[in-house]
Amino acid sequence: VALAALLKRHKWVDVLVNNAGVTADGLFALMPEKDWHKVLSTTLDGFFHVTRPLLMRMVARKKGSIVTIASVSGMVGNPGQVNYSAAKSGVIGACRSLAAEVAGHGIRVNVVAPGFIETDMIKDLKVDEVRKHIPLGRVGKPEEVAKAVRFLASDDASYITGHVLSVTGGMV
């Protein structure tokens, strides 16, 4: 509904940032099917239902940049997050394939894969323990992820497509 209203007001879209995701962590062997579907549906179906209609407008203009937020979990996996890792890995693969499909139409498709960032997603973690696994020794700030997205969406990244930019403090 919100996307339809946006498309009525704006004829062209130059930049799309996909940032859908939820967690329902738990051991895979004990994971309820509803948790599997909730996480995959939010990330992958969300990507499909937002990207496809906006992509057609970018194709018509032969111009556009799509940046999708994935996660370090989609690159290396994480115990207790099989569903989340699968969803984020899936969106990475989708973006790489889409990049190959639409590059000839002047559209770039890239991914930003954050690690541990100061958000609600890490509020229940022991941050001192997390820091031990990050070469830079700290968690990231949302602004640092935003700057990576801004770069990939800008003309400064005009020769970059199909790329996954790791914003992980050196974890990946």
Side-chain angles (χ1 to χ4, degrees):
V1 175
L3 182 57
L6 173 79
L7 294 176
K8 283 182 182 177
R9 286 193 317 269
H10 301 282
K11 187 174 181 180
W12 305 116
V13 176
D14 292 325
V15 175
L16 166 62
V17 178
N18 288 304
N19 188 24
V22 294
T23 58
D25 295 347
L27 296 176
F28 182 72
L30 305 174
M31 184 175 291
E33 189 172 343
K34 69 176 180 53
D35 288 354
W36 174 263
H37 289 292
K38 173 185 170 185
V39 172
L40 269 74
S41 174
T42 299
T43 299
L44 296 173
D45 293 350
F47 169 82
F48 176 82
H49 290 296
V50 173
T51 304
R52 191 173 64 152
L54 296 179
L55 176 68
M56 298 314 297
R57 291 172 185 241
M58 292 177 179
V59 167
R61 281 188 76 192
K62 295 199 172 291
K63 178 183 179 185
S65 176
I66 299 169
V67 181
T68 298
I69 307 300
S71 170
V72 65
S73 294
M75 297 172 72
V76 297
N78 203 18
Q81 288 193 317
V82 172
N83 52 0
Y84 186 74
S85 294
K88 294 303 185 174
S89 293
V91 82
I92 288 170
C95 287
R96 285 184 164 152
S97 293
L98 184 59
E101 284 184 16
V102 300
H105 296 283
I107 300 161
R108 296 176 293 108
V109 183
N110 292 291
V111 176
V112 172
F116 293 100
I117 306 297
E118 291 175 359
T119 65
D120 287 345
M121 286 188 74
I122 69 164
K123 70 179 184 224
D124 296 329
L125 299 178
K126 296 177 183 171
V127 177
D128 289 337
E129 288 299 313
V130 169
R131 283 188 192 117
K132 294 177 186 176
H133 302 285
I134 303 170
L136 284 179
R138 67 176 179 84
V139 297
K141 296 179 173 134
E143 297 83 9
E144 292 170 310
V145 176
K147 288 175 183 178
V149 171
R150 182 178 64 202
F151 167 69
L152 288 174
S154 77
D155 289 339
D156 289 340
S158 63
Y159 196 61
I160 301 172
T161 194
H163 184 71
V164 179
L165 180 58
S166 169
V167 183
T168 63
M171 291 176 60
V172 175

